[in-house]
Amino acid sequence: QVQLVESGGGLVQPGGSLRLSCAASGSIFSINAMGWYRQAPGKGRELVASITRGGNTNYADSVKGRFTISRDNAKSTVYLQMNSLKPEDTAVYYCNAHTPWLPTPPYNWGQGTQVTVSS
C-alpha cells in the first residue's frame, strides 16, 4: 500500500525558514517524479514544486527563488526547503507523485504538514 508521510511544518515568523520532508513508499518513489502541493484555507490544492527522478525541478512563480525541492532516492524522501517565508505561504503542505497528464495525482494524500507564517 502506498504511503506518503509529511513532516517538518510549524509556526514561523515572516522571513523565516522551514524544511519539510516526505517519506514515500519505495515502489512509487523510484518510478515517479514527485511534487509538493499546498492547500490554504478556503482555497484549492496547488502544486508548488516538482522534481523528476533525475533531479530536474520546476516551481510555481509564487515560490520561485525562495523554495528548493530535492530528493534522496536512497531514502525515498523528498524535501522542500522554504526560505523567506511569507504569510501567504500559510497552508497545509502535501507531497504526491507529479503526474500532470492526470487530473489529480494517483496516490492517496497523506495527512500533510501545517505551515503557519505569522508574527
Side-chain angles (χ1 to χ4, degrees):
Q1 186 167 347
V2 172
Q3 281 194 315
L4 298 164
V5 180
E6 301 92 349
S7 62
L11 172 64
V12 64
Q13 292 186 341
S17 298
L18 284 173
R19 189 193 194 206
L20 307 184
S21 299
C22 170
S25 299
S27 59
I28 70 167
F29 197 85
S30 64
I31 63 173
N32 276 290
M34 297 296 294
W36 277 100
Y37 304 76
R38 68 185 180 188
Q39 186 166 19
K43 295 187 177 181
R45 191 147 23 203
E46 63 172 346
L47 176 70
V48 296
S50 64
I51 185 166
T52 66
R53 287 177 292 167
N56 292 321
T57 59
N58 274 292
Y59 299 92
D61 288 343
S62 59
V63 306
K64 203 169 292 184
R66 301 187 297 120
F67 290 11
T68 303
I69 189 171
S70 61
R71 64 191 290 163
D72 185 332
N73 291 333
K75 296 181 179 180
S76 297
T77 301
V78 60
Y79 304 98
L80 187 67
Q81 177 67 43
M82 305 187 297
N83 299 328
S84 302
L85 282 161
K86 304 176 180 180
E88 51 264 43
D89 295 318
T90 295
V92 180
Y93 285 71
Y94 304 86
C95 70
N96 210 313
H98 177 52
T99 51
W101 59 90
L102 297 176
T104 58
Y107 305 112
N108 291 331
W109 296 100
Q111 83 288 351
T113 187
Q114 175 71 49
V115 172
T116 303
V117 185
S118 174
S119 55

